[in-house]
Amino acid sequence: DAGVIQSPRHEVTEMGQEVTLRCKPISGHDYLFWYRQTMMRGLELLIYFNNNVPIDDSGMPEDRFSAKMPNASFSTLKIQPSEPRDSAVYFCASRASGVSDTQYFGPGTRLTVL
Amino acid sequence: DQQVKQNSPSLSVQEGRISILNCDYTNSMFDYFLWYKKYPAEGPTFLISISSIKDKNEDGRFTVFLNKSAKHLSLHIVPSQPGDSAVYFCAANAGNMLTFGGGTRLMVKP
C-alpha cells in the first residue's frame, strides 16, 4: 500500500513568490495533518482536517499561510508571499479514526526561500 | 513552554547493548504516547505507542514504559543494532493533536 505522498520533495523559491505544497493521504484515512520542522521550533502542528474540514488551524503562523482539502485524497498548503523564515521541512500526516491515534507521515517537502 | 521534552539531544551506545531514550511531559490531558524514528531526508516513521491506561508495551526489541505519576516515558531498545541509529521523537496526543519532543539522536556503534 502507498503511504502518504508529498510533492514536491524539494522546492527552492525566491522571497515574495507563491509556494504550494501538496499531499495525498493514505486511502481511507479521514484525518490529515500539516506539520513544519525547523531547527528552532522542532516539529510543530500547523493545521489538521477531519473529513476534509479544517478543525484546528491555531498553529498556522500567519495569514500568509493557507491550507485546503478539496477532497479526501488531496490537500494543499500554500504560502503567499513566501519569506526566508518560511524555510523548513513541511510534513503531511494522516490517520484513520476508530483505529488508533497513530499518525503516518509522508517524506516531507524541503522548502528553501531565498 | 515545552509540554513534551527530550532532555538528551544525543545518545551513543555500543551494538548489542541496551538503548534507553527518555521523555518527560507536563500536560495531564495527554492520553496516548508514541515514539517515532526519523532518518535524514525521510518522514518520521511510527515505532511503538502506549495508551495512558497502560504502563508497558512491548514489540520485539522495543519496549515503551509509561510512568504517569512522574509524567515520564522511556523507550528501551534491546539489543541495539547499527541500523537503529536515527533521531527518535516522542509524541503525546491530546484531542487528536500530537505534541512532539525535540528528538534524541541515537548512535549505535558496531
Side-chain angles (χ1 to χ4, degrees), chain A residues 101, chain B residues 27-33 50-53 92-96:
Chain A
D101 290 319
Chain B
N27 189 346
S28 300
M29 299 301 292
F30 291 140
D31 57 4
Y32 193 75
F33 302 87
I50 187 167
S51 167
S52 61
I53 63 173
N93 180 80
N96 296 314

Side-chain angles (χ1 to χ4, degrees), chain A residues 53-67:
Chain A
V53 176
I55 303 299
D56 192 311
D57 65 353
S58 58
M60 296 284 262
E62 41 194 284
D63 292 345
R64 297 184 297 105
F65 287 69
S66 63

Side-chain angles (χ1 to χ4, degrees), chain A residues 33-95:
Chain A
F33 305 81
W34 282 101
Y35 290 85
R36 178 172 69 174
Q37 184 182 29
T38 60
M39 290 293 293
M40 291 295 294
R41 300 176 66 87
L43 256 171
E44 53 180 347
L45 177 67
L46 300 178
I47 184 172
Y48 82 92
F49 296 82
N50 179 221
N51 291 321
N52 314 337
V53 176
I55 303 299
D56 192 311
D57 65 353
S58 58
M60 296 284 262
E62 41 194 284
D63 292 345
R64 297 184 297 105
F65 287 69
S66 63
K68 293 183 179 179
M69 192 164 186
N71 57 62
S73 59
F74 183 66
S75 176
T76 60
L77 178 67
K78 186 177 293 186
I79 308 172
Q80 165 65 15
S82 58
E83 296 182 3
R85 60 192 166 121
D86 302 331
S87 298
V89 182
Y90 292 81
F91 291 104
C92 177
S94 70
R95 82 167 173 89

Side-chain angles (χ1 to χ4, degrees), chain B residues 29-97:
Chain B
M29 299 301 292
F30 291 140
D31 57 4
Y32 193 75
F33 302 87
L34 308 91
W35 285 94
Y36 286 84
K37 180 169 71 172
K38 187 181 182 305
Y39 294 118
E42 295 184 12
T45 302
F46 169 70
L47 198 55
I48 192 169
S49 62
I50 187 167
S51 167
S52 61
I53 63 173
K54 296 188 175 182
D55 54 19
K56 178 182 175 181
N57 187 26
E58 191 172 351
D59 183 2
R61 296 186 298 114
F62 303 92
T63 303
V64 56
F65 295 92
L66 176 62
N67 183 333
K68 283 185 67 177
S69 61
K71 293 190 173 66
H72 177 83
L73 67 155
S74 61
L75 174 68
H76 292 210
I77 307 174
V78 183
S80 301
Q81 299 174 353
D84 296 329
S85 297
V87 177
Y88 289 77
F89 292 94
C90 69
N93 180 80
N96 296 314
M97 295 166 63

